[in-house]
Amino acid sequence: ATLGRNPGAQGKGLEGPLGGVRAIRAGRDRYRILFEIDASARRVSVVFLGERRPGHTSDVYARAAALLRRLTQ
């Protein structure tokens, strides 16, 4: 399946500071693609991608949350 076909059924919805963003696994589960869906515009936007490294500051979720905090200050 591709992200362009029924993106709302793919991946999982995130919570907390990344609420409204969805994530799918890629590259043998090593990487994550974080995306948003704009149903009214029929558009899927990739907002962040990176390596999943639980517990590290370079983890994709930690980096995305840190960037979001900086952008909303």
Side-chain angles (χ1 to χ4, degrees):
T2 64
L3 191 54
R5 293 186 184 154
N6 197 11
Q10 297 185 45
K12 68 173 186 173
L14 302 180
E15 299 175 357
L18 296 175
V21 175
R22 297 188 66 78
I24 57 173
R25 297 175 182 185
R28 297 184 185 176
D29 294 343
R30 183 174 179 182
Y31 298 94
R32 297 295 186 275
I33 300 169
L34 308 184
F35 64 98
E36 292 179 320
I37 301 169
D38 182 346
S40 63
R42 298 186 62 186
R43 178 177 47 226
V44 175
S45 301
V46 173
V47 294
F48 210 88
L49 57 99
E51 188 174 7
R52 177 72 171 120
R53 299 187 69 199
H56 289 87
T57 57
S58 63
D59 178 69
V60 64
Y61 297 118
R63 292 178 63 208
L67 178 61
L68 180 62
R69 277 193 303 274
R70 277 187 258 145
L71 292 174
T72 58
Q73 289 180 358

